[in-house]
Amino acid sequence: DAWRAIFGSTGLDLQQKFVCSCGSGVTACMVALALYELDHKTAAVYGASWAEWGPDPATPKIRGNMPDGDKKTGYTAYTHQL
């Protein structure tokens, strides 16, 4: 129930497909495991993650602010569309 509450608070639709990524792939594995525990057995991990995707000028990126948390940390999220 704790994982469901955490993911539910993000506004993510758990019925959608997920590709988890992070800086190097380590945190993405933990997120995919949490999704697996929520019976989302098809979450994928992009192993090269941001370390590969980010520096490549040919890869599409969308820059946007993280809801709520960005006001505290100044963190800006980047994502890619599949």
Side-chain angles (χ1 to χ4, degrees):
D1 288 334
W3 283 124
R4 195 165 305 283
I6 291 168
F7 279 98
S9 71
T10 66
L12 293 172
D13 180 357
L14 293 177
Q15 302 305 310
Q16 297 297 313
K17 294 180 180 179
F18 286 90
V19 176
C20 305
S21 67
C22 63
S24 65
V26 175
T27 302
C29 289
M30 291 186 268
V31 173
L33 178 60
L35 286 165
Y36 185 87
E37 291 294 316
L38 292 173
D39 292 323
H40 198 295
K41 308 297 187 204
T42 60
V45 173
Y46 175 37
S49 283
W50 190 249
E52 177 183 79
W53 191 273
D56 185 346
T59 56
K61 298 164 194 77
I62 300 169
R63 182 178 177 168
N65 292 324
M66 303 256 318
D68 301 323
D70 68 312
K71 293 178 184 78
K72 293 181 220 166
T73 64
Y75 184 82
T76 301
Y78 291 86
T79 187
H80 51 274
Q81 295 177 319
L82 301 175

